[in-house]
Amino acid sequence: MLYYGRDLWTVLTGRKDGRISTAQEALANIPSPFSKFPTLKKNFADKGLSVTDLVTLSGGHTIGISHCAPVVPRLYNFNGNGGTDPSLDPTYAAYLKKICPPRPNPATVLGMDPNSTLSFDSHYYDIVEQHKGLFESDAALLDDRESSLLVDQFKNLQVFLANFEISAKKMSEIRSRDAGEIRKHCRVVNPN
């Protein structure tokens, strides 16, 4: 059972992980924080995941932190025009600019879900609707009718958690491109 302040879902065992992992390969398979909705939709579809899975798994941004690097272009040079992303709440943008100057300290961190960074909850969807999603990819969820409706539905914690369990299990079934192995310790490959 995965636990983050509450029982969330039973994590299946026996997943095969690849024996080789590179940062380049990982970054090629993780959606960019700069992605627009059509790109996100295609990335997820290429892995056999739906728009519902996309919106659900984006809710994982309810916990954790980011550094300023993925946020600075959105604050100071959105689309290369020198301005701030117009989809970002102006008050929130001003707050972010206090934390992340144009040349930020790489050690600076900020919560992906303000006021809820340590709680696995549905608050993320509230902030997305308020135009306070940290990443462009968060804001992109409002650019599509289907995903925007899901954002609204997932503000209900029970609905979000039920869908997260389903989508997390589907994501866990995405296989590595090699045969992989069931690891004895998840962070390291098995010795030969």
Short mmCIF file of all heavy atoms in Angstrom, two decimals, residues 2 4 6-7 20 33 48 75 93 117 120 124 148 163 166 173:
data_model
loop_
_atom_site.label_atom_id
_atom_site.label_comp_id
_atom_site.label_asym_id
_atom_site.label_seq_id
_atom_site.Cartn_x
_atom_site.Cartn_y
_atom_site.Cartn_z
N LEU A 2 0.67 2.17 -0.94
CA LEU A 2 1.40 3.43 -0.93
C LEU A 2 0.70 4.36 0.05
O LEU A 2 -0.52 4.46 0.06
CB LEU A 2 1.42 4.06 -2.33
CG LEU A 2 2.27 5.32 -2.44
CD1 LEU A 2 3.73 4.99 -2.17
CD2 LEU A 2 2.13 5.92 -3.81
N TYR A 4 0.77 8.25 1.86
CA TYR A 4 1.26 9.64 1.93
C TYR A 4 0.27 10.42 2.75
O TYR A 4 -0.55 11.17 2.24
CB TYR A 4 1.41 10.24 0.52
CG TYR A 4 2.34 11.42 0.52
CD1 TYR A 4 3.68 11.26 0.23
CD2 TYR A 4 1.89 12.69 0.83
CE1 TYR A 4 4.53 12.34 0.23
CE2 TYR A 4 2.73 13.78 0.83
CZ TYR A 4 4.05 13.59 0.54
OH TYR A 4 4.90 14.67 0.54
N ARG A 6 -2.16 9.12 4.07
CA ARG A 6 -3.36 8.27 4.00
C ARG A 6 -3.04 7.11 3.07
O ARG A 6 -2.14 7.21 2.25
CB ARG A 6 -4.57 9.06 3.50
CG ARG A 6 -4.44 9.50 2.05
CD ARG A 6 -5.67 10.18 1.49
NE ARG A 6 -6.03 11.43 2.09
CZ ARG A 6 -5.51 12.61 1.77
NH1 ARG A 6 -4.59 12.69 0.85
NH2 ARG A 6 -5.92 13.70 2.34
N ASP A 7 -3.77 6.02 3.21
CA ASP A 7 -3.62 4.92 2.25
C ASP A 7 -4.07 5.43 0.89
O ASP A 7 -5.14 6.02 0.77
CB ASP A 7 -4.49 3.73 2.65
CG ASP A 7 -3.98 3.03 3.91
OD1 ASP A 7 -2.83 3.28 4.29
OD2 ASP A 7 -4.74 2.25 4.49
N ILE A 20 19.67 -0.44 -17.75
CA ILE A 20 20.43 0.78 -18.05
C ILE A 20 19.46 1.95 -18.00
O ILE A 20 18.37 1.89 -18.56
CB ILE A 20 21.08 0.70 -19.44
CG1 ILE A 20 22.08 -0.47 -19.50
CG2 ILE A 20 21.76 2.01 -19.79
CD1 ILE A 20 22.60 -0.76 -20.88
N PRO A 33 8.07 20.47 -18.80
CA PRO A 33 7.23 21.48 -18.13
C PRO A 33 6.85 22.62 -19.06
O PRO A 33 6.01 23.44 -18.73
CB PRO A 33 8.12 21.97 -16.98
CG PRO A 33 9.51 21.66 -17.41
CD PRO A 33 9.44 20.43 -18.26
N GLY A 48 0.21 4.75 -24.39
CA GLY A 48 -1.04 4.03 -24.15
C GLY A 48 -1.90 4.64 -23.06
O GLY A 48 -2.78 3.98 -22.50
N LEU A 75 8.20 33.59 -16.76
CA LEU A 75 8.09 34.86 -16.03
C LEU A 75 8.68 36.04 -16.78
O LEU A 75 8.19 37.17 -16.65
CB LEU A 75 8.79 34.74 -14.67
CG LEU A 75 8.22 33.71 -13.70
CD1 LEU A 75 9.10 33.62 -12.46
CD2 LEU A 75 6.79 34.06 -13.33
N ALA A 93 2.39 35.52 -10.40
CA ALA A 93 3.59 35.80 -11.19
C ALA A 93 4.52 36.76 -10.43
O ALA A 93 5.74 36.54 -10.39
CB ALA A 93 3.21 36.39 -12.54
N THR A 117 2.32 21.64 -0.66
CA THR A 117 3.45 20.90 -1.21
C THR A 117 3.70 19.56 -0.52
O THR A 117 4.20 18.64 -1.14
CB THR A 117 4.71 21.78 -1.13
OG1 THR A 117 4.46 22.95 -1.90
CG2 THR A 117 5.93 21.10 -1.68
N PHE A 120 -0.62 15.05 -0.21
CA PHE A 120 -1.15 14.46 -1.44
C PHE A 120 -2.66 14.64 -1.42
O PHE A 120 -3.39 13.89 -0.79
CB PHE A 120 -0.78 12.97 -1.54
CG PHE A 120 -0.95 12.44 -2.92
CD1 PHE A 120 0.08 12.53 -3.85
CD2 PHE A 120 -2.15 11.87 -3.33
CE1 PHE A 120 -0.08 12.05 -5.14
CE2 PHE A 120 -2.31 11.39 -4.62
CZ PHE A 120 -1.28 11.49 -5.52
N TYR A 124 -4.06 20.81 -6.08
CA TYR A 124 -3.42 21.14 -7.35
C TYR A 124 -4.44 21.62 -8.38
O TYR A 124 -4.20 22.58 -9.12
CB TYR A 124 -2.66 19.91 -7.87
CG TYR A 124 -2.25 19.98 -9.31
CD1 TYR A 124 -1.11 20.67 -9.70
CD2 TYR A 124 -3.00 19.34 -10.31
CE1 TYR A 124 -0.73 20.73 -11.04
CE2 TYR A 124 -2.63 19.39 -11.63
CZ TYR A 124 -1.49 20.10 -12.00
OH TYR A 124 -1.12 20.15 -13.32
N SER A 148 -9.98 20.35 -19.31
CA SER A 148 -10.47 21.39 -18.42
C SER A 148 -11.64 20.89 -17.56
O SER A 148 -11.71 21.19 -16.35
CB SER A 148 -10.89 22.61 -19.24
OG SER A 148 -11.32 23.65 -18.41
N ASN A 163 -9.29 8.02 -9.43
CA ASN A 163 -8.69 8.05 -10.76
C ASN A 163 -7.17 7.92 -10.70
O ASN A 163 -6.57 7.29 -11.58
CB ASN A 163 -9.09 9.34 -11.50
CG ASN A 163 -10.46 9.22 -12.11
OD1 ASN A 163 -10.61 8.71 -13.20
ND2 ASN A 163 -11.47 9.66 -11.37
N ILE A 166 -6.11 4.27 -10.57
CA ILE A 166 -6.24 3.62 -11.88
C ILE A 166 -5.11 4.05 -12.81
O ILE A 166 -4.44 3.21 -13.44
CB ILE A 166 -7.62 3.94 -12.50
CG1 ILE A 166 -8.74 3.32 -11.67
CG2 ILE A 166 -7.68 3.49 -13.96
CD1 ILE A 166 -10.13 3.88 -11.98
N GLU A 173 2.45 -0.13 -15.76
CA GLU A 173 2.48 -1.21 -16.75
C GLU A 173 3.26 -0.85 -18.02
O GLU A 173 3.44 -1.69 -18.90
CB GLU A 173 1.05 -1.64 -17.10
CG GLU A 173 0.34 -2.26 -15.91
CD GLU A 173 -1.16 -2.41 -16.11
OE1 GLU A 173 -1.67 -2.01 -17.19
OE2 GLU A 173 -1.81 -2.93 -15.20
#
